[in-house]
Amino acid sequence: MPMNELPGSFEGDSALLTIDLHMHSTASDGTLPPADVVALCKTRGLTHMALTDHDTLDGVAEASEAAEREGIFLLPGAELSTRWQGHNVHIVALLPHGARGSLVAGLASQAIARHKRAARIALKLEKVGLVDALARAREQAGSERPLGRPDFARALVAAGLVPDVATAFKKHLGDGKAGDVKALWPEIATAVGWILDAGGVAVLAHPLRYGLTRRKRGLLLDTFHDAGGQAAELISGFQNADVTRDLSRQLQERGLYASLGSDFHFPGGHLAPGSMSPVPRTATPPVWTHPRLADLMVAAVA
């Protein structure tokens, strides 16, 4: 089988956009089944992908079978929910060996936390007019998987209480709003510990999306690094090039690797698999060169 090495550094090459290490399926709050996510990645020319559903690896087996058929390298993953100084902070777990060690119990505890959190969100949203909020969110999910805020956001839209999902988050579900329930999530160090115990790589997800000042983003990166975190998403969807370069400097200062991903959830939006800003030329090493990933990810199947 022909093999092609992945680049060992970011050179501003658009070919790097054939790699997407942050995507979701119906195993969490995405709208496509795992196999369909893989098929879409194939049509978009991706060679390497990670399925990173929220607090679960339930979609990975289906995605792995599809990836083998499609000739795409699939890295198992999950996006773990944590809390830090009043913020929901997500950590992408890139898991070449899947779930093992303390991560198995950690994922079970996250599922319980999600069910409890959904019940609390439902009570809060009923106070703003969403009748039978839990049942309405479950209808939007279309399955018995743990509910997330996007399910409640779609329920708010369907009930006519807000015009769109973005407004639902802005008014009711975003940071500091009534439906923003954080207390059930673990601290960053706990989640990172689970990932390391599983032989994985812990990646701070979309550090530019938490509404932090540069100084406070640096404190978050410090906390993450001190907990054993190894990488952060240098690119997450579309973002300002100057801000990306500045983030790259912050990663280099802490010896963190750089990852990239679209955070894809549904077709038809602007964040399709592989859709993201160009990677600037930077000395920050790509996450696939990390020793825990390099042996698996240095080659693409053809």
Side-chain angles (χ1 to χ4, degrees):
M1 181 178 293
M3 309 294 270
N4 297 307
E5 290 189 356
L6 284 172
S9 62
F10 290 116
E11 298 293 340
D13 188 347
S14 61
L16 292 177
L17 300 189
T18 62
I19 304 165
D20 192 329
L21 301 179
H22 187 158
M23 286 180 282
H24 299 271
S25 74
T26 50
S28 64
D29 58 346
T31 62
L32 292 181
D36 289 356
V37 175
V38 175
L40 180 58
C41 289
K42 177 68 173 183
T43 64
R44 292 188 56 80
L46 268 65
T47 59
H48 292 69
M49 63 174 289
L51 187 68
T52 58
D53 279 306
H54 291 284
D55 299 304
T56 184
L57 276 78
D58 284 354
V60 168
E62 178 184 328
S64 295
E65 292 180 3
E68 185 173 354
R69 292 195 303 269
E70 299 286 3
I72 295 177
F73 175 89
L74 183 130
L75 182 65
E79 186 175 10
L80 304 185
S81 305
T82 72
R83 55 192 169 93
W84 178 79
Q85 296 190 11
H87 294 273
N88 284 321
V89 171
H90 292 172
I91 299 172
V92 168
L94 299 178
L95 301 164
H97 310 291
R100 64 182 187 178
S102 60
L103 179 61
V104 176
L107 290 173
S109 69
Q110 292 290 84
I112 293 170
R114 279 196 168 269
H115 284 298
K116 291 181 177 178
R117 176 178 179 251
R120 290 174 60 177
I121 292 174
L123 289 174
K124 289 177 178 291
L125 293 184
E126 285 180 356
K127 293 179 180 179
V128 300
L130 184 62
V131 179
D132 295 328
L134 196 62
R136 286 174 176 263
R138 178 61 63 198
E139 289 175 3
Q140 295 299 319
S143 72
E144 292 304 309
R145 63 163 173 78
L147 297 173
R149 285 184 297 169
D151 300 309
F152 287 98
R154 289 190 287 268
L156 287 165
V157 175
L161 295 173
V162 293
D164 50 46
V165 167
T167 304
F169 273 86
K170 184 176 181 180
K171 293 184 65 175
H172 302 297
L173 292 161
D175 278 356
K177 303 302 180 182
D180 175 32
V181 177
K182 308 182 183 71
L184 298 172
W185 301 133
E187 298 288 343
I188 285 175
T190 299
V192 170
W194 295 340
I195 297 167
L196 298 183
D197 195 40
V201 173
V203 181
L204 182 65
H206 38 66
L208 297 177
R209 294 195 200 170
Y210 299 119
L212 305 176
T213 63
R214 186 184 193 278
R215 175 183 171 278
K216 197 159 186 179
R217 185 169 66 244
L219 294 176
L220 171 59
L221 289 167
D222 287 339
T223 298
F224 177 72
H225 175 266
D226 292 346
Q230 301 124 303
E233 289 181 347
L234 177 62
I235 299 289
S236 178
F238 296 104
Q239 57 198 52
N240 178 276
D242 290 336
V243 175
T244 301
R245 293 187 187 94
D246 185 52
L247 175 59
S248 179
R249 288 190 288 270
Q250 288 187 299
L251 301 190
Q252 290 177 53
E253 290 166 358
R254 293 160 177 84
L256 294 170
Y257 289 76
S259 189
L260 71 169
S262 63
D263 199 5
F264 168 74
H265 281 78
F266 58 91
H270 65 287
L271 294 177
S275 295
M276 60 193 88
S277 295
V279 184
R281 186 182 299 273
T282 174
T284 310
V287 69
W288 51 83
T289 64
H290 188 282
R292 290 190 169 190
L293 299 179
D295 287 346
L296 289 174
M297 289 193 64
V298 292
V301 292

